[in-house]
Amino acid sequence: MSGVSGNQDADIDIGQLFAAVWERRKAILTTTAIAAAVAFVGSSLMTPEYKAETRILIEARDTHMSGEAPQGTNDQVLDQYNIVSQAQILQSADLIRQVARDMKLFDLKEFDPEAHSWLPDPLVLLGLKQNPMDLPPEDRVIKAFREKLQVYPVEGSRVIAIELASEDPKLAAGIPNKMADVYLSMQSGAKLDTHTETTRWLEPEIASLREKVREAEKRVADYRTNAGLFQSSENTSFSSQQLNDISQELARVRGERANAEARAENVRTALKAGAGFDTLGDVVSSSVIQRLKETEANIQADISQAQIALMDGHPRLKGLRAQLAGIRQQIEAETRKILASLESEATVAKLREQQLVQQLNGVKADSARAGEEEVGLRALEREAAAQRQLLETYLARYREAASRVDPNSTPADARVVSTAIEPVEPYFPKILPITIVVALATLILYCIGIIVLALFTGRGLRPADDGTLESAIAHRPAARQPVLAHHADEDEDDVHRDEFAASAERDLSALAGASVQDQPEQDDPSLDDEGAEELAVPHAALSLEAVRDYLLRREAPFAVAVSPTGDEGSTATVLLAREISEAGRSVVVVDMTGTACPTRLMAESASLPGVTDLLCGTTPFGETIHPDRLSDAHIIPQGTADAEQAMRGADRLTMVLDALSGAYDVVLVECGQAEATGLKRLTRDGASELILSLPQASPAEIAELLEDYEAAGYRQPLVMSADIAGRPSRSGRYAA
């Protein structure tokens, strides 16, 4: 692209795009006007088409002779699938043939173009297509008819709309109305045929069932007579009734016997005691005892009066006393008679009980035999009941179907709710909308083509200048802007890399000169006053935030940090990891320093397992990763294993770092005061970032270190310089 190099970031220049469109405004407007005119003329020459619509409501329109409809008779018409099915019936070939036959649509060129064509079909002449004239006229109409027909259920209702487009407005309204009439006739005829077939099938079935019911009931009666299974009532057999009566009588007799025995025992006990006759109900109720009691009372009164006037030895007193003793003997004798009578009643009740028990046993035997016989009787009764119930069901269905044989009694389960009327205006073509749409489409497509052409030619692009670190490197002035960052893209071409390296050398030279004297030499013709002021300020070192933003923007998953100044540089690396964590990225610090400074700053304890244990193979991978005590970052400590033994497994280090790069957004390997030549193992793939952590370093120190690393093959490393004394995090929650 012109104006933008192939390896340079670019932005879209909106102004240039508008300028490209504005330059061709006359061509755009002319083309748009021509397209609009063509669309207007073309749409005006099109044959107009008219559209009309008929609507049918699907509902239950059944009439019943009784007040209640049979269960489930018309439930299907309320189902949504039934509505869709009825819409498909309206588009069926049989219905279309009937409409075409009744309205003679095959006589119209619109619906039968093959029959009214003056030229033969070439495919038919070559034998590649069947001759449509071999088909019946109604079948030739179906294809054209369906292309003009649209039948659809109205959403949220049981209404089906029938739309048809035609060149003739009368046909546009007449065909949907005719389709509705044919559909209703077909539905009503189908129901009438169903009822007729039902009555025709039920007549012989009912006659056969009547004979089966008669035979089944006859078998029940014959079996009952032969087995003697007579019924005393509707649901009780004779033997069961007899058994019930004897059981009731036996219970009554047993009660009378118990009562008589109790009364006799009561009288017997009173006689043995020799007193207490007055309290016995059977004795007191006897008329003889009552008269004797009256006589006894009179004699007792006479004795009481005589004792007042006469002495005890007086003959009268003796006579009265003798009469009293005789009366009492009579009372006792009469009581014994009552006892004998009660005992006789108990004996009679006992004998009656024995007779009833014998009768009951006999009836039980008869009842058991009758129960066995009733098993077969009940089977015959069930068969007769089933035949009778089936006969009654068939009779009910026959009466219902016979009442619907009349065509007036079987209306279709649908009715027309909106008839089609003859349209006045055509629905196609809409001349004005078509003209406007074509004009707008032409205008938009023309403008888009101009914009795409400007983008591909480079006119609509400009170099990116977003103020980022990469943009500053790409567009710095020659011999003024120092090296800020290292691009690790291996795909950059050699020319660009050489220019970049040459610029870095010029920057280092300028920085070296600035460190010796406060301003550049005045006799350098390439530097003006403004350039002298820029070089007076040390720009080679980046702030901690700039390095963080650079790593996050480039999405660098792996970075090697070297701290030539010792623990101060390692502390800055820890702060960098915490800043990356605060930015919402996952980060892990691998402590490969000799002083274990990152471990002391981040881990809870300096004796935790870490890199050396992992290389020795004594600790699982997951147990060497520990959380930072002041942030969400993680730390792999230096470890507790022997360093010499760990170096024997140094080949595992690459696999460990690759695994961490896949699990974390950023992996920081802090190497402490490592030599440049000792970093080859970590940076051999060229995709890692090299960070020189130099807190508060002077430009001269930075330039010297850069020369050393360039001599070792590391071009343009990131130089991070920050004041770490009392430096808090952005959130103020922690400090190194």
Side-chain angles (χ1 to χ4, degrees), residues 563-599:
S563 302
T565 59
D567 289 348
E568 291 183 355
S570 299
T571 302
T573 303
V574 172
L575 287 175
L576 175 62
R578 290 173 175 172
E579 288 288 337
I580 294 174
S581 175
E582 281 192 350
R585 304 294 181 89
S586 59
V587 58
V588 60
V589 178
V590 182
D591 187 359
M592 297 188 66
T593 63
T595 60
C597 176
T599 301

Side-chain angles (χ1 to χ4, degrees), residues 263 266-267 270 276-287 289-290 335 338 342:
R263 289 161 59 193
N266 191 18
V267 174
F277 300 122
D278 297 341
T279 59
L280 300 177
D282 294 325
V283 176
V284 174
S285 62
S286 176
S287 59
I289 295 297
Q290 292 177 358
T335 301
I338 294 173
L342 293 175

Side-chain angles (χ1 to χ4, degrees), residues 559-563 573 668-672 679 689-693:
V560 178
V562 180
S563 302
T573 303
L668 289 178
V669 181
E670 173 58 36
C671 298
L679 302 176
E689 296 289 345
L690 180 61
I691 302 174
L692 297 180
S693 182

Side-chain angles (χ1 to χ4, degrees), residues 391-458:
L391 176 60
E392 293 174 355
T393 302
Y394 278 16
L395 287 173
R397 292 183 59 186
Y398 180 80
R399 288 192 296 268
E400 182 71 19
S403 65
R404 297 170 183 269
V405 173
D406 186 2
N408 295 326
S409 64
T410 55
D413 290 331
R415 62 186 177 92
V416 178
V417 294
S418 176
T419 58
I421 59 175
E422 184 176 339
V424 178
E425 296 181 356
Y427 86 99
F428 180 84
K430 301 293 185 182
I431 298 177
L432 183 59
I434 291 176
T435 304
I436 294 175
V437 169
V438 171
L440 290 178
T442 304
L443 177 64
I444 294 172
L445 291 177
Y446 206 145
C447 293
I448 291 176
I450 294 173
I451 291 173
V452 172
L453 182 62
L455 292 176
F456 275 99
T457 58

Side-chain angles (χ1 to χ4, degrees), residues 201-235:
W201 179 81
L202 285 176
E203 286 177 355
E205 291 294 326
I206 290 174
S208 176
L209 278 176
R210 283 175 176 171
E211 183 64 23
K212 290 180 180 179
V213 170
R214 188 187 65 79
E215 292 177 357
E217 291 180 348
K218 184 177 182 303
R219 285 196 297 269
V220 171
D222 293 342
Y223 188 90
R224 190 185 300 277
T225 301
N226 296 332
L229 300 176
F230 303 104
Q231 288 184 330
S232 60
S233 61
E234 183 178 357
N235 297 322

